[in-house]
Amino acid sequence: MTQTAEKLGLFLSEGLHQDMVSAAERLNTRKNPRGCVRLLYERAFRELVEALESGVEIAFPAVRGAKDRVSVRLSRPLCERIRRHADGLNLKLTDFAFAAIVRFLQSIKGDAHDATRQAYPVSG
């Protein structure tokens, strides 16, 4: 049985979603990277949630500047875990997503070969 997916509306720093699409294109062997983009978002959020659950201290800088509206579908159980952690840490979903995605993109730089070296905003 497949898990149902839930749509999360995110406001991401300009270009961050495109970085995920580019990473999907480089890491995916199929012609259409769309499914791979969803898998990368799932992986990014899951890795952050698991790090938090294992006691790793994570910095969550406030995200300032221009943002793009992006909708992604993630598994419902993962969305529930994300919301539980975001609520427990008193974080906006935007700040949680930013930390998850940037952390993930930095972790795959070797896998993604020439991954974009965009300077992500830190805090403000």
Side-chain angles (χ1 to χ4, degrees), residues 44 47-48 51 56 58 98-108:
E47 286 177 1
L48 180 58
V56 174
I58 307 289
F98 177 78
I101 294 166
V102 169
R103 189 172 189 267
F104 172 74
L105 288 172
Q106 290 173 346
S107 76
I108 63 162

Side-chain angles (χ1 to χ4, degrees), residues 64-83:
R64 305 282 188 239
K67 295 178 184 68
D68 294 324
R69 173 118 169 102
V70 177
S71 293
V72 295
R73 291 194 179 276
L74 303 175
S75 71
R76 183 164 286 144
L78 179 57
C79 288
E80 291 169 0
R81 290 170 71 193
I82 291 167
R83 286 194 181 98

Side-chain angles (χ1 to χ4, degrees), residues 3-113:
Q3 297 176 351
T4 57
E6 186 175 326
K7 185 165 75 170
L8 281 184
L10 304 174
F11 291 94
L12 301 177
S13 297
E14 243 177 14
L16 196 57
H17 175 70
Q18 186 55 48
D19 289 348
M20 288 293 276
V21 171
S22 296
E25 289 170 349
R26 283 188 287 278
L27 296 171
N28 189 18
T29 57
R30 296 180 296 178
K31 283 191 173 193
N32 182 358
R34 185 175 182 179
C36 190
V37 173
R38 176 182 172 180
L39 293 175
L40 290 186
Y41 273 104
E42 287 244 358
R43 183 173 154 194
F45 280 102
R46 184 171 288 112
E47 286 177 1
L48 180 58
V49 166
E50 289 172 355
L52 289 168
E53 290 173 352
S54 69
V56 174
E57 286 192 35
I58 307 289
F60 292 95
V63 181
R64 305 282 188 239
K67 295 178 184 68
D68 294 324
R69 173 118 169 102
V70 177
S71 293
V72 295
R73 291 194 179 276
L74 303 175
S75 71
R76 183 164 286 144
L78 179 57
C79 288
E80 291 169 0
R81 290 170 71 193
I82 291 167
R83 286 194 181 98
R84 187 172 47 248
H85 285 287
D87 290 346
L89 295 166
N90 196 29
L91 287 172
K92 293 179 182 177
L93 184 56
T94 295
D95 297 334
F96 192 91
F98 177 78
I101 294 166
V102 169
R103 189 172 189 267
F104 172 74
L105 288 172
Q106 290 173 346
S107 76
I108 63 162
K109 274 186 181 175
D111 294 337
H113 309 295

